């Protein structure tokens, strides 16, 4: 899809070497890569179900956490981390993985056709 997209090619040249430098994942989680409020079924304010899970993947924790950098606003970060840690899941450090997983998320149109430069320059909220 991106064979003639110069920005995609430029970011691939940066992200792919970074991906090759990463250690193999030690942990994985189920990551929903197609977030939309219409996918949640709720009753009286309680989550009761999830629909439309065709983009569910077994993924390294870093991929899931990198996705949340795009989904959470500043006020939701601390409650999210409190819940994440309460589930006894170690909060991964994105560090070197951030650029590679951000590239992959954009490549899959995680939130639609966002400009590559804008997508990759998104402010970080972890680490």
């Amino acid at each position: 899809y991106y064979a003639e997209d110069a920005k995609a090619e430029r970011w691939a040249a940066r992200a792919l070497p970074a991906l090759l430098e990463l250690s193999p994942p030690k942990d994985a989680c189920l990551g929903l890569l197609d977030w939309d409020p219409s996918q949640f079924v709720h009753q009286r304010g309680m989550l009761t179900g999830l629909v439309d899970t065709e983009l569910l993947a077994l993924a390294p924790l870093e991929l899931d956490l990198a996705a949340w950098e795009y989904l959470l606003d500043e006020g939701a970060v601390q409650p999210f981390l409190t819940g994440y840690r309460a589930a006894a899941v170690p909060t991964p450090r994105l560090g070197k993985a951030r650029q590679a997983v951000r590239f992959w998320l954009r490549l899959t149109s995680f939130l639609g056709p966002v400009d590559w430069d804008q997508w990759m320059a998104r402010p970080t909220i972890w680490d």
Side-chain angles (χ1 to χ4, degrees), residues 4 19 30 38 43 58 61-62 78 84-85 98 105 109-110 115 120 125 127:
E4 296 181 20
L19 183 63
L30 288 175
S38 67
Q43 195 170 41
L58 186 60
L61 298 175
E62 289 83 358
Q78 203 52 51
Y84 203 89
R85 292 176 182 138
R98 180 177 278 112
L105 287 167
S109 296
F110 174 66
D115 175 78
M120 297 299 285
I125 57 176
D127 297 348

Side-chain angles (χ1 to χ4, degrees), residues 24-44:
K26 294 181 178 129
D27 299 299
C29 66
L30 288 175
L32 183 59
L33 303 174
D34 185 20
W35 283 100
D36 183 86
S38 67
Q39 295 169 282
F40 297 93
V41 180
H42 58 90
Q43 195 170 41
R44 292 187 292 276

Side-chain angles (χ1 to χ4, degrees), residues 37-60:
S38 67
Q39 295 169 282
F40 297 93
V41 180
H42 58 90
Q43 195 170 41
R44 292 187 292 276
M46 297 293 296
L47 180 64
T48 58
L50 181 63
V51 296
D52 189 23
T53 58
E54 79 277 359
L55 281 177
L56 187 65
L58 186 60

Side-chain angles (χ1 to χ4, degrees), residues 30 56 64 74 83 111 126:
L30 288 175
L56 187 65
D64 194 42
E74 194 173 303
L111 292 178
W126 333 108

Side-chain angles (χ1 to χ4, degrees), residues 75-120:
V77 171
Q78 203 52 51
F80 174 85
L81 287 175
T82 299
Y84 203 89
R85 292 176 182 138
V89 176
T91 307
R93 298 189 59 76
L94 292 179
K96 293 190 308 186
R98 180 177 278 112
Q99 188 167 347
V101 295
R102 282 186 170 192
F103 176 77
W104 189 86
L105 287 167
R106 175 56 187 85
L107 196 61
T108 60
S109 296
F110 174 66
L111 292 178
V114 180
D115 175 78
W116 281 93
D117 294 336
Q118 178 186 354
W119 181 268
M120 297 299 285

